[in-house]
Amino acid sequence: MASTEPIKNKPSKTAVPLESAAPKPEQVDDNTQNQVNNLEKDEVVSKEEQSQPAPQEENKTENQSETTDSSALFQAIGIITGKVNFTLSEDKERSTITIGNKEYPLLYASRKQRAYDALKKEIEATGESIQRLVVYPNFTHFPGRDQPPNVSFQVVGFDKGRQDDTISQQLQDMEFKLCGLWQFIPVCRTPCISVFKNFTKERLDHIKQSEPARKVKFMKASHLPLFWRDALVPPFRFNPKAPKEEQGRPVFIQIKAKFVPHRDAFEFDSLLELPQEKPPRFLKASKDDKATAMAQKKAALKAAGKDFGPPRGKPTASGSSAERTFKGKPTKDFKGKPLEMPKPKPKTQQ
């Protein structure tokens, strides 16, 4: 990255051009390149000419040597400060962090368990539950656009002020470094920064050896809602009615943003780099793998005697023809013969 100095949001939209510089390609051997070409056909490896990306998961941000030889990377990492709580329920430990008056789950990946265990020991030794944590943000969206996402944080480490030149020194409390595709997604009214898995040869080999369900989970993207007033570039919005050549594509942005608990979203703070038309190479799940993983999940739930989800659409008709044609709801139980209607009174002759 050429510079980490924030660029305040002062220039107008027309005054700031997009960077068209593409990231440098990774040096790989012929065998690896053939694997990449095959996976591009299967929509696993992103192509520069794609018009709409697909969803992803957690972000690897620490070891840049595993990623392509480029200064630009998909990334989402930041600092939160709050009261850390550890509770035991049904022999299962649950950890949360309270920020203001909101409580969020604290998670950890298996490779980060040492950092999680160190945090527990730090709190037990010092008795200080207010901690400054380095975290990855996790947002789980639901099909209803009006339903807010579930928000949690994955622990990367905690700051004790012993190291210089680390991410915890570069960012203030509640600040995050977000690098991804700037776009709308179908399940969120707020535009998002979509953070995908960076492409590496190791991850490519891992994907080729994994089952479809593990592939989809591994390549799942993080879609982070972002409020950016007077954004330099508009978020991409897919138009199903427009031809493919007219769709356009999302730009890659690198910004600093603040997490706002009462909105469960991020607010733009400053630019770290100018927006780029071409993103770094990333991984995404193919349509075939998604369909296979979904079918396997349905089959597993059915075998366990569980419904995959709530029934959709109108219920099927059953019972007598009267039950099928009756559209209202009876107010009483009808037993025996129905009451006879009173006969009309004879008209009096004048």
Side-chain angles (χ1 to χ4, degrees):
M1 187 176 295
S3 173
T4 58
E5 288 297 324
I7 304 173
K8 295 299 180 180
N9 185 16
K10 293 296 183 182
S12 63
K13 297 180 183 178
T14 57
V16 180
L18 292 177
E19 279 192 356
S20 58
K24 300 177 183 178
E26 183 181 15
Q27 300 299 321
V28 296
D29 54 30
D30 293 339
N31 183 46
T32 302
Q33 189 59 50
N34 291 334
Q35 292 177 336
V36 173
N37 293 337
N38 292 334
L39 288 178
E40 283 180 343
K41 294 177 182 178
D42 296 333
E43 299 181 351
V44 174
V45 180
S46 65
K47 293 182 287 187
E48 293 177 354
E49 60 271 17
Q50 69 185 6
S51 61
Q52 186 187 23
Q56 120 251 333
E57 184 202 62
E58 71 171 46
N59 329 304
K60 176 90 172 182
T61 61
E62 296 173 293
N63 192 351
Q64 294 189 5
S65 63
E66 293 183 3
T67 60
T68 56
D69 183 18
S70 170
S71 60
L73 295 169
F74 284 89
Q75 194 173 34
I77 191 169
I79 305 295
I80 57 175
T81 300
K83 182 179 180 181
V84 178
N85 310 289
F86 296 99
T87 57
L88 194 63
S89 176
E90 298 179 356
D91 297 331
K92 187 175 181 180
E93 187 177 72
R94 179 174 179 265
S95 55
T96 61
I97 184 169
T98 302
I99 305 174
N101 59 353
K102 300 200 70 173
E103 188 177 61
Y104 299 97
L106 276 182
L107 313 174
Y108 66 92
S110 56
R111 67 181 184 277
K112 294 296 181 183
Q113 184 167 356
R114 290 181 61 184
Y116 180 83
D117 293 340
L119 173 63
K120 289 176 57 179
K121 292 179 180 179
E122 176 75 11
I123 294 176
E124 291 173 358
T126 63
E128 182 57 62
S129 60
I130 304 297
Q131 294 289 329
R132 190 171 189 259
L133 307 182
V134 183
V135 294
Y136 298 148
N138 290 332
F139 279 66
T140 302
H141 297 271
F142 300 96
R145 285 168 59 95
D146 295 325
Q147 185 175 358
N150 280 348
V151 183
S152 60
F153 297 98
Q154 181 180 320
V155 177
V156 179
F158 59 99
D159 180 28
K160 294 189 290 186
R162 298 175 184 172
Q163 296 180 343
D164 296 329
D165 196 25
T166 60
I167 193 70
S168 61
Q169 299 297 321
Q170 299 169 16
L171 299 173
Q172 302 297 319
D173 291 355
M174 313 310 290
E175 286 187 346
F176 281 74
K177 181 181 180 182
L178 305 179
C179 307
L181 299 181
W182 177 224
Q183 63 179 352
F184 281 97
I185 63 173
V187 293
C188 185
R189 292 185 178 275
T190 306
C192 297
I193 291 185
S194 295
V195 184
F196 289 81
K197 283 284 190 182
N198 292 296
F199 171 81
T200 69
K201 180 182 180 300
E202 291 76 13
R203 289 175 177 174
L204 179 66
D205 294 338
H206 172 74
I207 289 170
K208 289 181 68 68
Q209 299 171 7
S210 300
E211 296 297 323
R214 294 189 65 183
K215 287 183 183 180
V216 172
K217 183 178 180 180
F218 180 79
M219 292 187 285
K220 187 180 178 184
S222 293
H223 303 284
L224 310 176
L226 172 68
F227 292 95
W228 186 357
R229 186 178 181 182
D230 301 326
L232 298 184
V233 288
F236 170 78
R237 188 190 293 271
F238 177 72
N239 182 2
K241 297 182 180 180
K244 183 178 180 179
E245 58 273 10
E246 297 179 8
Q247 284 291 348
R249 58 188 177 187
V251 298
F252 181 78
I253 62 173
Q254 303 173 73
I255 67 167
K256 183 188 292 185
K258 292 185 177 180
F259 178 69
V260 184
H262 72 271
R263 304 182 84 170
D264 277 343
F266 295 90
E267 288 184 354
F268 174 83
D269 179 76
S270 58
L271 283 174
L272 297 175
E273 296 287 345
L274 292 178
Q276 297 179 6
E277 290 180 329
K278 296 180 180 180
R281 302 193 77 182
F282 61 91
L283 301 171
K284 67 173 184 176
S286 69
K287 294 179 181 178
D288 290 342
D289 283 339
K290 288 181 181 180
T292 303
M294 183 67 70
Q296 291 176 349
K297 184 177 181 180
K298 287 182 178 180
L301 289 174
K302 186 176 181 180
K306 299 178 181 179
D307 293 331
F308 181 73
R312 297 182 179 181
K314 296 180 180 179
T316 56
S318 62
S320 64
S321 59
E323 291 175 340
R324 291 196 299 268
T325 56
F326 181 72
K327 296 184 181 299
K329 292 184 178 180
T331 57
K332 296 181 180 179
D333 293 333
F334 294 99
K335 297 180 181 180
K337 295 182 179 181
L339 297 176
E340 296 182 357
M341 297 295 292
K343 297 179 178 181
K345 296 179 179 180
K347 296 181 179 179
T348 57
Q349 299 180 353
Q350 295 182 356

